[in-house]
């Protein structure tokens, strides 16, 4: 070869970015096994097939090596960092030594691809894959639907929309291949189809989805179909490309289980080989007479035919004609039956609930399957998964309520008035800590207000402080089943990470342990504060809440009463008096508690200058309601276990103040009765004489009514104000003791409990709304809802070892706290259908808004605003390798106690259900005996204390469904173990309720785990289609909780 030395020298001195690779290497020539000289360090630059050797980075090139007709020998041992270039010409080999193993491997790859032969091989690979990977987007991008603005731009008039039912997928089809040609005659094909979309406006190929792998046949019938959700921009002009691959090794098929970076191409040796591809227009399929296309598969150059592929249009709500003969597990000789239309089932696809559901659910992902039944028919299954906007809406509403509640409490502490120095210093310390916590809540709310993007928190973000109130990976998982001989059915499960305070950590355990320890320590706080039991502090909060709620209502009703009197309206006067009486009686009843009286005494002793003439007598909370007969028994105390008693304090004064409200109300009632009685008698007399004179009397009497009622109403307000002032101060003093006895642990525990409750409540609100929407036409369920309440069953998969034990303790308390939540259904007055949250800690009301048409379907009791109770229960069974350690070397008492406690709660709900509901309210295939037997079986399994007894979860889930409950499944991040459980539950339902062919159970299970919504959930969380398990972990898992080969590996959880 002839080269221009000047041009080569200029090329060697070009900037660093112009070279394919450069760096330091030690180089020498080798003859045989002997080095001619010791290796010398050189700066090497690779450009194309030219390797420049330089003494240093800035010097001239001392030698140029032409990388043609040579090959690379790489030493594969762990210690070697060298490679050798061998030349066909026979010249001495070139020895190159790198600084590290990774650098050596990088140089070996670069040098191996530098010559023209390597370039030809690369071009050949690219030609083979060009139709598949050219300008493709990454898989995760394909799953995210285009923004609405882009959809509007794409949806130009020249594109023909596909007709569909509201809230139903735009397009669904199933696939099958026939007569596939293998590269070798005896090769058994393991095939899958990759589906890509070409939009008519963009002409860009977008990878959309894949089928499952069908093994050992050249005529594969795929159980996984293709579905396009309502939001996806697909038209009749859209082209669908189907590419068939042969998988050599499922565990090495990394292209299907990983996400490629932008504009990167998959390597050819990734465990699969290209067989053929074909393309069709959506309009051709939709308009075809038989709603079926038979397409020819061809190689990438379009020449050779390698088989055919059948595309069958699918519509849920249709049933199939003809029977399926010779169904086998390898799917050989199966034909896809023709279908004919029928109407969609009532309540499953109605458009009336679309706006309100769209306000709650976002970014749906749909998968379509067809499985054979035991009687050789086809059933169709649509699997759906969706995020919910409630993941952020509920926590933000809740934090806002916490801020308002804490601001009121801080103000009430400041309004306590003058206190003795000891108590005043205590108050200042408490307010300072409370203000600090309040500021933290405000900062968190401000940060959440800035959040944009997806409406769920990924598992990778569970430790982020700004997102600690947000539930982890909250999704609706839905299965819609259309069976040949059974009615269509929906099965919903809410999947969410276990409600837990991950940012705060679990070094000292979770809420269950921390609360118990805190309460024990608080009893021994010393003399600096008064101990009140948790029941008393809860009562104090309830009294304060009632005051804040009832006082303004009573004042407004009193004003309405005076307004009715001024207008001389008897009917209005009666109604106003009735409302005033009801609210005032509730107000008076709120203070019928010994706690208020004893707290007033304690507050009296805390005032400046108060001296106890007799020593305080310790009194337990059970003794607080006794008479004063024990006060004459002095005892020497080291701390105040209860309320101090003062001999000169007039306890009857509170009774008089409190009773004055009732007396004032009686005076108002008596006056109104007297006025109405006089009015009736005067009307009769005046009506008999002069009508005009009667009109004058009425006007004068109107003034008399107002003048006579006004002083009585003012007295009522004054008496009520006196009661409010004293009661507020006394209850605020109780809260001061609660806070002072446990600073700062008390506030930190409150924060932790708020965080856990926020996560649990977001999931509960989502589950309630979805259940309500799907059961609006079920009168039995609606009657059960307002008569008994709603059962909410949580399935936990956490271990009782290490940090997960703390998570389980958090979760148990958070779910138990949901008992204090009530729901109320109201008619929406605007297009905003998001729920409204009111109340305070330990008592929240969730107002669910429904459109007018849906609201009219509800029973009268619910429409009138009856509060609906929740009955949450939790059953937990750890299934991973950490649970193995807990069972053999640790402690499983926590799990056993939780399961036993919640079994009793479940029995209570069942007894309540059987007492209040008629037997015919259970679904048609249920019987009371079934439930009794299931409950007894559950009881026996919990008592048996077997290791990893997953039958507990199966039984609890079955009982929940039979009692019309809402199902939840939780693990640490609702991603891996939850996916195994949810898919197992779905396939078990298909087997037990819809006659899934027994030979297809495992295949259906693997199909859902490999290609279903749950693997998409993994992708959304960690950007990788692999469950975060390894082989050693899976050995500890129960058999049916193990994913199929090739779907698991190293991934962040």
């Amino acid at each position: 070869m002839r080269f221009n030395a000047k041009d080569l020298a200029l090329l060697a001195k070009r900037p660093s970015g112009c070279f394919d690779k450069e760096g330091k290497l030690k180089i020498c020539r080798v003859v045989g096994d002997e080095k001619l000289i010791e290796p010398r360090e050189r700066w090497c630059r690779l450009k194309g097939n030219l390797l420049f050797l330089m003494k240093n980075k800035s010097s001239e090139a001392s030698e140029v090596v032409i990388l043609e007709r040579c090959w690379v020998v790489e030493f594969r041992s762990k210690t070697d960092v060298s490679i050798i270039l061998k030349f066909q010409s026979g010249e001495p080999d070139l020895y190159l030594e790198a600084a590290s193993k990774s650098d050596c491997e990088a140089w070996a790859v670069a040098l191996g691809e530098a010559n023209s032969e390597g370039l030809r091989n690369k071009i050949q690979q690219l030609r083979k894959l060009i139709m598949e990977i050219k300008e493709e987007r990454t898989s995760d991008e394909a799953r995210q639907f285009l923004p609405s603005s882009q959809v509007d731009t794409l949806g130009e008039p020249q594109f023909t929309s596909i007709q569909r039912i509201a809230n139903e997928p735009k397009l669904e089809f199933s696939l099958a291949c026939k007569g596939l040609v293998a590269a070798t005659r005896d090769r058994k094909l393991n095939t899958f189809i990759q589906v890509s979309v070409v939009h008519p406006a963009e002409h860009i190929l977008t990878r959309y989805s894949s089928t499952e792998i069908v093994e050992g046949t050249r005529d594969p019938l795929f159980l996984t179909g293709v579905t396009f959700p309502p939001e996806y921009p697909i038209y009749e002009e859209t082209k669908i490309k189907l590419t068939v691959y042969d998988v050599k090794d499922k565990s090495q098929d990394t292209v299907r289980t990983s996400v490629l970076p932008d504009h990167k191409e998959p390597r050819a040796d990734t465990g699969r080989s290209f067989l053929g591809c074909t393309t069709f227009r959506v309009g051709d399929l939709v308009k075809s007479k038989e709603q079926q296309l038979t397409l020819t598969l061809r190689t990438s150059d379009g020449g050779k035919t390698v088989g055919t592929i059948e595309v069958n249009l699918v519509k849920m709500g249709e049933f199939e004609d003809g029977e399926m003969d010779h169904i086998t597990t390898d799917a050989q000789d199966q034909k896809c039956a023709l279908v004919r239309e029928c109407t969609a089932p009532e309540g499953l696809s109605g458009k009336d609930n679309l706006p309100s559901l769209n306000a709650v659910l976002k970014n749906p992902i749909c998968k379509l399957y067809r499985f054979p039944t035991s009687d050789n028919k086809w059933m169709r299954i649509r699997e759906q998964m969706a995020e919910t906007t409630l993941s952020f809406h509920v926590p933000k509403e809740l934090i806002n309520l916490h801020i308002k509640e804490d601001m009121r409490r801080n103000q009430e502490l400041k309004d306590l008035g003058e206190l003795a120095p000891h108590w005043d210093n205590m108050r200042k310390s408490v307010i300072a800590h409370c203000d600090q916590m309040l500021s933290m809540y405000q900062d968190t709310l401000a940060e959440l207000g800035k959040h944009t993007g997806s409406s769920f928190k990924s598992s990778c973000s569970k430790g982020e402080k700004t997102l600690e109130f947000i539930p982890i990976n909250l999704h609706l998982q839905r299965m819609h089943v259309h069976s040949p001989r059974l009615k269509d059915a929906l099965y919903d499960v809410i999947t969410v990470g276990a409600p837990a305070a991950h940012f705060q950590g679990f070094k000292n355990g979770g809420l269950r342990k921390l609360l118990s320890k805190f309460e024990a320590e608080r009893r021994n706080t010393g003399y600096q504060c008064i101990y009140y039991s948790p029941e008393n502090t809860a009562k104090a909060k309830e009294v304060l809440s009632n005051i804040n709620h009832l006082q303004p209502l009573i004042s407004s009703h009193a004003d309405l009463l005076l307004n009715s009197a001024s207008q001389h309206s008897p009917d209005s006067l009666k109604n106003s008096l009735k409302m005033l009486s009801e609210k005032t009686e509730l107000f008076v009843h709120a203070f019928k508690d010994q706690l208020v009286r004893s707290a007033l005494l304690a507050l009296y002793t805390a005032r400046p200058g108060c001296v106890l003439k007799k020593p305080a007598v310790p009194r337990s909370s059970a003794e607080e309601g006794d008479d004063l007969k024990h006060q004459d028994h002095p005892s020497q105390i080291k701390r105040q276990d209860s309320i101090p008693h003062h001999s000169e304090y007039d306890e009857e004064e509170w009774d008089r103040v409190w009773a004055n409200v009732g007396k004032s109300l009686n005076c108002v009632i008596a006056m109104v009765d007297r006025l109405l009685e006089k009015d009736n008698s005067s009307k009769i007399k005046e009506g008999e004489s002069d009508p005009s004179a009667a009109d004058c009397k009425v006007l004068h009497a109107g003034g008399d009514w107002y003048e006579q009622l006004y002083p009585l109403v003012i007295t009522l307000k004054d008496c009520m104000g006196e009661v409010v002032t004293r009661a507020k101060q006394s209850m605020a003093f109780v809260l001061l003791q609660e806070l002072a006895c446990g600073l700062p642990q008390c506030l930190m525990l409150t924060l932790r409990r708020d965080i856990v409750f926020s996560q649990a409540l977001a999931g509960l609100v989502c589950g309630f709304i979805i259940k309500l929407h799907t059961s609006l036409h079920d009168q039995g369920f609606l009657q059960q809802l307002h008569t008994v309440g709603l059962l909410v069953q949580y399935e936990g998969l956490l271990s009782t070892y290490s940090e997960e034990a703390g998570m389980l303790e958090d979760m148990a308390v958070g779910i138990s706290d949901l008992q204090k939540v009530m729901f109320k259904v109201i008619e929406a007055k605007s297009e905003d259908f998001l729920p409204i949250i009111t109340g305070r800690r330990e008592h929240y009301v969730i107002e669910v808004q429904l459109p007018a048409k849906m609201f009219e379907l509800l029973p009268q009791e619910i429409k009138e605003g009856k509060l609906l109770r929740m009955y949450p229960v939790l059953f937990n069974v750890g299934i991973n390798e950490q649970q193995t350690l807990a069972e053999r070397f640790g402690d499983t008492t926590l799990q056993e106690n939780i399961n036993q406690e919640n079994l009793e709660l479940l029995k209570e709900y069942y007894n309540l259900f059987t007492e209040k509901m008629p037997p015919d309210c259970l679904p048609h295939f249920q019987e009371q005996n079934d439930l009794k037997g299931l409950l007894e079986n559950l009881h026996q399994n919990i008592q048996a204390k077997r290791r990893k007894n997953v039958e507990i979860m199966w039984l609890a889930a079955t009982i929940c469904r039979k009692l019309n409950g809402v199902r939840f499944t939780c693990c640490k991040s609702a991603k891996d173990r939850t996916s195994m459980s949810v898919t197992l539950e779905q396939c078990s339902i298909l087997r037990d309720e819809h006659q899934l062919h027994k030979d297809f159970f495992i295949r259906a299970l693997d199909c859902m785990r490999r290609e279903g919504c749950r693997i998409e959930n993994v992708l959304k969380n960690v950007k990788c289609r692999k469950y975060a398990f390894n082989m050693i972990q899976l050995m500890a898992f129960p058999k049916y909780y193990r994913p199929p080969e090739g779907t698991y590996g190293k991934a962040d959880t």
Side-chain angles (χ1 to χ4, degrees):
M1 292 185 183
R2 299 180 64 183
F3 296 95
N4 187 316
K6 188 176 180 180
D7 289 343
L8 287 176
L10 288 173
L11 179 60
K13 296 193 72 174
R14 294 184 70 183
S16 297
C18 300
F19 295 93
D20 300 329
K21 187 169 181 60
E22 62 178 325
K24 288 182 180 179
L25 291 173
K26 289 184 178 180
I27 295 178
C28 71
R29 292 287 182 175
V30 179
V31 176
D33 294 331
E34 295 184 4
K35 299 174 183 175
L36 297 181
I37 59 173
E38 282 300 313
R40 295 180 181 178
E41 188 175 272
R42 292 288 184 264
W43 186 264
C44 302
R45 286 181 160 177
L46 178 65
K47 180 65 178 177
N49 62 350
L50 300 177
L51 178 64
F52 296 96
L53 307 182
M54 308 159 69
K55 289 185 178 180
N56 55 60
K57 192 173 182 180
S58 58
S59 66
E60 300 284 342
S62 59
E63 186 179 353
V64 180
V65 180
I66 302 171
L67 303 174
E68 292 295 341
R69 297 182 182 180
C70 64
W71 65 94
V72 177
V73 178
E74 182 183 0
F75 293 93
R76 296 288 182 177
S77 68
K78 293 183 179 179
T79 56
D80 278 328
V81 291
S82 59
I83 53 179
I84 289 180
L85 276 176
K86 290 184 174 290
F87 297 89
Q88 291 182 7
S89 61
E91 61 182 292
D93 301 338
L94 189 64
Y95 173 87
L96 301 96
E97 184 178 317
S100 65
K101 183 67 177 174
S102 59
D103 196 25
C104 176
E105 292 174 351
W107 273 105
V109 172
L111 294 171
E113 296 178 351
N115 56 27
S116 55
E117 186 179 353
L119 186 61
R120 280 194 297 271
N121 291 336
K122 192 172 183 180
I123 291 172
Q124 187 176 357
Q125 293 175 12
L126 289 173
R127 281 177 175 169
K128 192 174 182 181
L129 297 171
I130 192 69
M131 294 187 68
E132 179 59 32
I133 61 176
K134 184 181 179 181
E135 295 180 304
E136 280 194 3
R137 298 173 181 173
T138 59
S139 300
D140 58 336
E141 288 175 329
R143 300 308 309 153
Q144 302 298 324
F145 306 137
L146 296 175
S148 56
S149 58
Q150 191 174 351
V151 173
D152 295 338
T153 304
L154 297 176
E156 296 174 359
Q158 65 265 30
F159 300 140
T160 309
S161 298
I162 300 173
Q163 294 183 356
R164 63 181 182 86
I165 302 173
N167 207 24
E168 290 287 294
K170 280 188 176 180
L171 177 69
E172 293 179 309
F173 57 83
S174 59
L175 298 166
C177 294
K178 287 186 178 180
L180 295 179
V181 178
T184 57
R185 181 176 299 178
D186 56 349
R187 163 81 178 153
K188 287 189 175 182
L189 296 175
N190 303 322
T191 52
F192 76 93
I193 300 176
Q194 186 166 283
V195 182
S196 303
V197 178
V198 182
H199 193 277
E202 292 186 324
H203 304 290
I204 292 178
L205 195 67
T206 303
R207 189 184 307 155
Y208 183 75
S209 67
S210 301
T211 66
E212 82 281 12
I213 299 172
V214 178
E215 300 182 30
T217 177
R218 300 191 181 193
D219 301 313
L221 189 150
F222 298 97
L223 302 183
T224 306
V226 182
T227 179
F228 293 89
E231 295 83 358
Y232 199 90
I234 190 168
Y235 308 93
E236 290 188 7
E237 293 79 8
T238 302
K239 290 183 178 180
I240 307 291
K241 181 181 178 183
L242 306 174
T243 308
V244 182
Y245 288 98
D246 176 24
V247 178
K248 301 171 185 175
D249 184 356
K250 286 192 289 185
S251 63
Q252 297 297 319
D253 186 27
T254 56
V255 172
R256 301 176 73 249
T257 57
S258 62
V259 178
L260 299 173
D262 291 345
H263 310 298
K264 294 291 182 180
E265 301 168 354
R267 292 171 54 178
D269 57 347
T270 52
R272 66 175 182 174
S273 62
F274 173 86
L275 286 182
C277 62
T278 188
T279 305
F280 70 92
R281 287 176 71 256
V282 170
D284 295 339
L285 175 62
V286 173
K287 295 178 179 178
S288 62
K289 186 175 181 181
E290 296 182 345
Q291 297 189 328
Q292 179 184 28
L293 296 177
T294 302
L295 308 169
T296 301
L297 286 169
R298 297 186 181 276
T299 55
S300 57
D301 57 6
K304 186 179 178 182
T305 300
V306 292
T308 60
I309 186 167
E310 290 184 356
V311 184
N312 290 274
L313 189 67
V314 172
K315 292 181 181 179
M316 294 292 284
E318 297 177 346
F319 60 89
E320 307 196 359
D321 295 329
E323 296 200 358
M324 306 308 306
D325 299 323
H326 311 296
I327 294 179
T328 58
T329 54
D330 60 3
Q332 292 182 358
D333 301 323
Q334 296 183 38
K335 296 183 179 180
C336 187
L338 298 179
V339 297
R340 64 185 181 88
E341 295 185 11
C342 74
T343 57
E346 183 183 13
L348 292 183
S349 58
K351 60 183 179 180
D352 291 341
N353 63 355
L354 185 59
S356 53
L357 269 183
N358 283 346
V360 174
L361 299 178
K362 296 292 180 185
N363 297 332
I365 292 174
C366 301
K367 298 288 182 176
L368 182 70
Y369 313 98
R370 54 175 174 177
F371 297 140
T373 61
S374 56
D375 57 353
N376 293 345
K377 295 286 185 181
W378 285 111
M379 73 169 91
R380 293 202 190 92
I381 297 92
R382 182 187 298 147
E383 187 186 27
Q384 295 173 288
M385 182 183 72
E387 303 169 12
T388 171
T389 55
L390 299 173
S391 290
F392 282 82
H393 173 75
V394 170
K396 287 195 286 189
E397 291 282 301
L398 207 55
I399 295 171
N400 195 35
L401 287 178
H402 292 333
I403 291 171
K404 292 178 180 177
E405 181 181 348
D406 290 350
M407 290 177 71
R408 281 196 305 269
R409 179 198 59 201
N410 291 359
Q411 188 59 46
E412 286 160 357
L413 292 176
K414 294 173 184 177
D415 292 341
L416 272 174
E418 193 176 0
L419 297 175
H422 166 71
W423 301 105
D424 193 45
N425 291 333
M426 181 188 293
R427 173 170 59 177
K428 289 176 182 177
S429 175
V430 166
I431 291 176
H433 280 87
C434 290
D435 285 341
Q436 187 177 355
M437 294 300 294
L438 182 61
S439 176
M440 195 221 69
Y441 280 97
Q442 291 169 335
D443 292 343
T444 301
L445 184 60
E447 288 298 320
L448 291 179
K450 298 175 186 176
H451 178 83
T452 56
S454 63
S455 52
F456 87 109
K457 182 173 87 173
S458 71
S459 63
C460 298
S461 304
K462 58 177 169 281
E464 289 187 19
K465 178 172 175 54
T466 56
L467 299 177
E468 57 185 346
F469 284 86
I470 310 301
I472 302 165
N473 196 16
L474 175 59
H475 283 82
L476 164 69
Q477 177 81 17
R478 167 170 288 181
M479 182 173 69
H480 177 189
V481 184
H482 173 69
S483 300
R485 294 187 174 91
L486 297 175
K487 191 176 181 180
D488 278 23
L490 285 180
Y491 300 92
D492 290 339
V493 179
I494 307 298
T495 61
V496 63
H502 290 272
F503 178 78
Q504 296 191 21
F506 309 96
K507 184 178 180 181
N508 299 313
L511 276 172
R512 192 176 170 107
K513 181 186 293 182
L514 292 172
L515 288 171
S516 176
K517 182 180 178 182
F518 172 75
E519 186 58 33
E521 290 176 350
R522 201 161 72 90
R523 291 176 177 270
N524 303 299
T525 52
Y527 189 78
Q528 68 269 20
C529 62
I530 302 169
Y531 172 76
Y532 286 93
S533 66
E535 294 77 17
N536 279 335
T537 54
K539 182 66 179 176
K541 293 174 184 177
E542 183 182 348
V543 170
L544 285 171
S545 176
N546 288 335
I547 291 172
N548 293 327
H549 175 66
L550 292 173
Q551 186 184 14
L553 284 178
I554 293 172
S555 296
S556 64
H557 287 309
D559 293 338
L560 287 174
L561 182 73
L562 291 176
N563 187 47
S564 300
S566 65
Q567 295 177 1
H568 198 274
S569 172
D571 292 337
S572 177
L573 193 68
K574 289 177 183 178
N575 292 333
S576 299
L577 180 64
K578 181 183 177 183
M579 296 301 296
L580 178 64
S581 300
E582 290 176 356
K583 299 302 178 186
T584 307
E585 286 173 7
L586 288 174
F587 179 82
V588 172
H589 182 74
F591 303 108
K592 280 186 177 179
D593 197 281
Q594 178 67 22
L595 177 64
V596 180
R597 180 182 288 105
S598 59
L600 281 169
L601 170 59
L603 179 58
Y604 175 80
T605 63
R607 297 297 185 192
C610 177
V611 179
L612 288 176
K613 294 185 177 180
K614 293 185 180 181
V617 180
R619 305 170 71 191
S620 67
S621 57
E623 295 170 332
E624 288 172 9
D626 294 344
D627 295 329
L628 304 179
K629 58 185 179 180
H630 300 299
Q631 69 179 13
D632 296 325
H633 299 280
S635 63
Q636 206 166 6
I637 61 171
K638 295 181 179 179
R639 59 178 292 273
Q640 291 175 269
D641 290 314
S642 187
I643 309 303
H645 181 76
H646 191 265
S647 60
E648 294 186 350
Y649 178 68
D650 185 5
E651 294 193 31
E652 294 183 359
E653 182 184 1
W654 165 249
D655 293 333
R656 290 193 295 270
V657 172
W658 171 63
N660 284 341
V661 177
K663 292 177 182 178
S664 300
L665 176 64
N666 290 335
C667 291
V668 172
I669 294 172
M671 178 57 71
V672 171
D673 290 342
R674 195 178 307 125
L675 292 174
L676 291 175
E677 185 179 347
K678 286 183 179 180
D679 182 63
N680 288 333
S681 60
S682 63
K683 276 185 178 180
I684 294 171
K685 291 180 181 179
E686 296 296 334
E688 293 174 354
S689 57
D690 186 3
S692 60
D695 292 339
C696 294
K697 288 279 187 181
V698 166
L699 291 173
H700 180 67
D704 289 344
W705 281 17
Y706 183 85
E707 291 169 3
Q708 292 182 63
L709 277 175
Y710 181 77
L712 299 177
V713 170
I714 294 300
T715 303
L716 175 62
K717 286 185 176 182
D718 290 343
C719 293
M720 185 178 64
E722 180 69 17
V723 169
V724 166
T725 301
R726 296 191 181 209
K728 266 191 172 184
Q729 289 184 343
S730 65
M731 296 299 96
F733 189 73
V734 173
L735 298 186
L736 175 64
Q737 308 309 309
E738 179 202 26
L739 294 167
C741 287
L743 283 178
Q745 294 90 341
C746 177
L747 292 176
M748 292 307 297
L749 279 176
T750 300
L751 171 63
R752 188 183 190 103
R753 199 165 188 170
D754 287 345
I755 289 168
V756 174
F757 179 76
S758 172
Q759 297 177 24
L761 182 63
L764 175 64
V765 175
C766 176
F768 178 87
I769 291 175
I770 297 302
K771 183 67 177 177
L772 184 63
H773 278 75
T774 55
S775 305
L776 277 173
H777 297 275
D778 186 347
Q779 294 303 314
F781 167 76
L782 295 175
Q783 182 183 350
Q784 176 186 348
L785 184 61
H786 71 79
T787 306
V788 184
L790 182 65
L791 178 65
V792 185
Q793 186 254 325
Y794 289 81
E795 174 185 306
L797 298 162
L798 295 171
S799 69
T800 55
Y801 185 81
S802 188
E803 285 193 344
E804 288 199 6
M807 295 176 203
L808 181 56
E809 289 177 345
D810 274 358
M811 183 182 180
V813 173
I815 290 173
S816 177
D817 285 347
L818 294 177
Q819 297 178 53
K820 302 162 187 174
V821 177
M822 308 284 274
F823 280 81
K824 182 180 178 181
V825 185
I826 62 174
E827 184 177 349
K829 302 301 181 184
S830 67
E831 295 300 314
D832 183 7
F833 298 106
L834 289 173
I836 301 166
I837 305 178
T838 58
R840 57 176 177 82
R841 289 183 181 90
E842 301 178 358
H843 181 72
Y844 288 103
V845 176
I846 316 297
E847 296 182 352
V848 176
Q849 303 187 82
L850 289 184
K853 289 184 179 179
M854 298 174 66
F855 187 75
E856 287 303 315
L857 299 173
L858 298 173
Q860 193 62 33
E861 292 87 347
I862 298 180
K863 288 197 284 189
E864 289 175 354
K866 184 174 181 180
L867 294 179
L868 311 173
R869 289 198 60 186
M870 300 294 109
Y871 292 86
V873 293
L874 165 65
F875 294 95
N876 186 86
V877 177
I879 62 172
N880 64 357
E881 76 287 355
Q882 288 188 325
Q883 186 62 23
T884 303
L885 294 174
E887 290 170 342
R888 295 187 178 180
F889 310 111
D891 184 13
T892 60
T893 308
L894 173 64
Q895 177 175 286
E896 293 165 4
N897 291 342
I898 288 174
N899 289 344
Q900 186 59 49
E901 292 166 10
N902 285 273
L903 174 63
E904 299 305 317
L905 293 174
L906 183 59
K907 286 181 178 178
E908 287 178 19
Y909 181 84
Y910 171 72
N911 292 333
L912 195 63
F913 179 89
T914 52
E915 288 173 12
K916 294 188 175 183
M917 295 295 293
D920 57 357
C921 282
L922 283 170
H924 65 281
F925 55 85
Q926 320 290 1
E927 292 182 4
Q928 293 288 353
N929 292 334
D930 292 343
L931 279 168
K932 286 182 180 178
L934 288 168
L935 279 167
E936 182 58 33
N937 198 356
L938 178 61
H939 174 78
Q940 291 173 1
N941 275 276
I942 291 174
Q943 294 297 319
K945 299 181 181 180
R946 286 170 24 215
R947 291 179 178 177
K948 295 184 182 177
N949 187 4
V950 291
E951 192 170 349
I952 291 173
M953 297 188 295
W954 302 345
L955 288 166
T958 304
I959 292 169
C960 175
R961 285 194 299 272
K962 288 180 180 291
L963 286 171
N964 298 316
V966 177
R967 282 271 299 111
F968 282 78
T969 299
C970 311
C971 64
K972 183 168 68 174
S973 58
K975 178 171 64 69
D976 304 304
R977 281 170 282 178
T978 294
S979 297
M980 299 301 102
S981 178
V982 165
T983 48
L984 176 59
E985 180 177 355
Q986 290 179 166
C987 289
S988 298
I989 290 172
L990 294 177
R991 178 193 61 198
D992 300 337
E993 305 291 348
H994 298 276
Q995 302 173 357
L996 172 67
H997 197 289
K998 63 179 182 179
D999 294 336
F1000 272 77
F1001 179 80
I1002 297 298
R1003 185 175 166 189
L1005 191 60
D1006 287 353
C1007 193
M1008 286 185 173
R1009 289 172 176 174
R1010 186 182 293 275
E1011 301 298 338
C1013 291
R1014 298 314 303 181
I1015 199 72
E1016 299 293 342
N1017 181 269
V1018 174
L1019 178 66
K1020 286 176 69 173
N1021 279 273
V1022 296
K1023 309 303 179 189
C1024 176
R1025 276 195 178 89
K1026 282 197 175 184
Y1027 300 109
F1029 304 129
N1030 58 46
M1031 185 62 73
I1032 297 175
Q1033 286 177 310
L1034 292 179
M1035 290 173 64
F1037 275 49
K1039 177 182 177 182
Y1040 291 113
Y1041 289 83
R1042 299 170 186 171
E1045 183 184 356
T1047 62
Y1048 57 87
K1050 186 178 180 181
D1052 294 331
T1053 184

